[in-house]
């Protein structure tokens, strides 16, 4: 492509990358408005660096696409590296997406090999199913669809009474920073049998709980009679999306219980407490994302609570 330049994303590019992303999302019909804080979170986590793990495509000096990788080291089961990015719709079909994704695949493979482990290694991409141009590109570079995740929505009306959000023998309490490490361990146990999941490291966990969109003040944990954390519900708020969706959504971002405590109503009780907290915050809908084939039966639980 004439006039094409590719280089790492720099801090001085962030405004342009943000504008590019939101323009593309609008044209593609993606119901998300990225904020600057979210963009910085994505590009500068403990598992991603702009100088080594990103590329910005410029055509005649204008940014038209980008790619970046997020490598999640693991010592068990498997290792993953995610590739994310986009090309402005006006510049698709000229090979730019293939060049960016090709760079991402090469960089992801380097990162995976750097561990030196014998664990299975996977490069992953994801996109809304209706962004057909992305899926065609993925297929051309050898990616295959293997898992589907659903986004579910519930109006915050006709909620079960908060008094019903109890579990015999357990206390449901608001988030406590001093118990964050305990919650991380519960999270790792809760998701140990989920597809493609690996234990979350302390550094990665810190990135999650301190992200600009995480609302620990709206989050809950479940504690047993021995004062052990056995469940949690971490919630988030994406205020930038409000103008686009016409709603004020609270996100139930991550909910789990120890496997030995499943099917006791802990997750639903934590979610009900969370949704009452959303209402008190002035929000009008709850949103979550779930593996459509979750082994924990989560999709059935969420629909029983009125999510669609």
């Amino acid at each position: 492509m004439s006039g094409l330049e590719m280089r790492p994303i720099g801090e001085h590019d962030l405004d342009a990358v943000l504008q590019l992303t939101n323009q593309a999302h609008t044209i593609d019909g993606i119901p998300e408005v990225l904020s600057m804080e979210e963009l910085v979170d994505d590009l500068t986590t403990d598992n991603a660096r702009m100088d080594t793990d990103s590329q910005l495509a410029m055509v005649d000096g204008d940014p038209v696409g980008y790619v970046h990788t997020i490598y999640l080291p693991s010592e068990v089961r498997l290792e993953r590296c995610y590739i994310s990015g986009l090309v402005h719709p006006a510049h698709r079909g000229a090979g730019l997406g293939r060049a960016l994704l090709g760079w991402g695949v090469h960089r992801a493979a380097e990162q995976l090999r750097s561990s030196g482990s014998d664990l299975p290694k996977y490069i992953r991409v994801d996109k809304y199913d209706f962004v057909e141009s992305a899926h065609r590109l993925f297929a051309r570079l050898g990616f295959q669809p293997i898992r589907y995740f659903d986004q579910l929505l519930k109006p915050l009306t006709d909620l079960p009474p908060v008094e019903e959000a109890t579990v015999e023998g357990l206390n449901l309490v608001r988030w406590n920073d001093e118990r964050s490490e305990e919650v991380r361990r519960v999270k790792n146990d809760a998701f140990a049998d989920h597809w493609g999941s690996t234990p979350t490291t302390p550094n990665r966990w810190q990135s999650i709980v301190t992200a600009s969109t995480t609302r620990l003040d709206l989050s809950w944990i479940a504690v047993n009679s021995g004062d052990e954390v056995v469940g949690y519900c971490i919630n988030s708020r994406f205020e930038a999306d409000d103008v686009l969706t016409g709603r004020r959504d609270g996100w139930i971002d991550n909910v789990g219980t120890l496997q030995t405590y499943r099917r006791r109503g802990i997750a639903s009780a934590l979610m009900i407490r969370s949704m009452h907290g959303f209402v008190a915050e002035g929000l009008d809908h709850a949103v979550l994302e779930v593996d459509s084939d979750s082994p924990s039966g989560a999709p059935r639980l969420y629909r029983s609570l009125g999510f669609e």
Side-chain angles (χ1 to χ4, degrees):
M1 178 182 294
S2 177
L4 173 64
E5 174 194 358
M6 288 178 56
R7 58 168 174 77
I9 298 172
E11 290 189 11
H12 59 285
D13 298 312
L14 292 177
D15 285 333
V17 170
L18 183 67
Q19 183 178 5
L20 168 64
T21 301
N22 286 327
Q23 285 178 349
H25 283 180
T26 298
I27 296 170
D28 286 331
I30 293 175
E32 299 173 5
V33 177
L34 194 69
S35 69
M36 179 59 74
E37 292 79 10
E38 292 172 75
L39 178 63
V40 172
D41 286 344
D42 290 343
L43 293 175
T44 60
T45 69
D46 185 64
N47 302 93
R49 291 177 47 181
M50 289 192 294
D51 59 342
T52 58
D53 306 332
S54 75
Q55 286 284 284
L56 178 65
M58 313 278 290
V59 173
D60 297 328
D62 294 323
V64 297
Y66 67 91
V67 66
H68 68 95
T69 62
I70 300 177
Y71 171 43
L72 301 178
S74 173
E75 296 179 354
V76 299
R77 296 184 64 187
L78 54 88
E79 289 195 290
R80 300 169 285 165
C81 192
Y82 286 87
I83 302 175
S84 183
L86 55 81
V87 173
H88 192 284
H91 291 269
R92 294 173 186 168
L96 184 55
R98 191 182 186 98
L100 286 168
L101 185 56
W103 183 92
V105 169
H106 177 76
R107 176 58 184 152
E110 285 183 335
Q111 291 173 284
L112 289 167
R113 285 195 299 266
S114 70
S115 72
S117 78
D118 294 328
L119 293 172
K121 297 173 174 59
Y122 297 95
I123 299 173
R124 294 184 183 162
V125 292
D126 63 79
K127 212 71 165 180
Y128 280 95
D129 55 7
F130 53 80
V131 187
E132 297 178 356
S133 60
H135 289 276
R136 289 194 297 269
L137 175 62
F138 297 158
R140 283 198 292 270
L141 270 73
F143 290 92
Q144 297 179 342
I146 193 169
R147 204 73 171 186
Y148 290 87
F149 291 79
D150 295 330
Q151 280 189 0
L152 305 182
L153 178 71
K154 174 182 170 56
L156 292 173
T157 55
D158 300 322
L159 294 177
V162 71
E163 293 79 14
E164 294 182 9
T166 59
V167 182
E168 186 177 356
L170 300 182
N171 290 322
L172 306 185
V173 298
R174 292 188 179 276
W175 177 269
N176 182 341
D177 284 338
E178 295 181 358
R179 311 204 74 158
S180 179
E181 175 58 19
E182 294 176 75
V183 177
R184 182 186 72 87
R185 293 196 293 267
V186 172
K187 187 266 184 190
N188 286 343
D189 178 89
F191 284 85
D193 60 350
H194 284 51
W195 174 82
S197 178
T198 59
T200 300
T201 65
N203 285 344
R204 178 65 176 166
W205 182 249
Q206 188 66 13
S207 297
I208 293 170
V209 298
T210 61
S212 60
T213 54
T214 301
R215 289 292 301 271
L216 297 180
D217 60 316
L218 298 177
S219 301
W220 290 80
I221 59 176
V223 182
N224 66 13
S225 58
D227 198 36
E228 299 168 319
V229 177
V230 299
Y232 67 93
C233 185
I234 295 179
N235 301 312
S236 297
R237 175 85 172 100
F238 297 86
E239 294 184 29
D241 294 349
D242 291 358
V243 174
L244 180 64
T245 64
R247 305 186 305 263
R248 289 173 54 82
D249 295 339
W251 274 80
I252 294 176
D253 217 350
N254 195 293
V255 58
T257 63
L258 290 174
Q259 293 187 42
T260 54
Y261 278 78
R262 283 179 181 170
R263 309 195 190 287
R264 292 180 52 180
I266 298 172
S268 59
L270 289 167
M271 290 172 63
I272 292 169
R273 293 286 182 106
S274 296
M275 289 188 286
H276 277 279
F278 293 167
V279 172
E281 187 74 5
L283 310 183
D284 51 43
H285 285 76
V287 187
L288 56 82
E289 188 171 277
V290 61
D291 179 352
S292 58
D293 292 320
S294 171
S296 68
R300 184 172 61 254
L301 163 66
Y302 301 153
R303 287 186 168 87
S304 75
L305 289 172
F307 285 86
E308 297 180 351

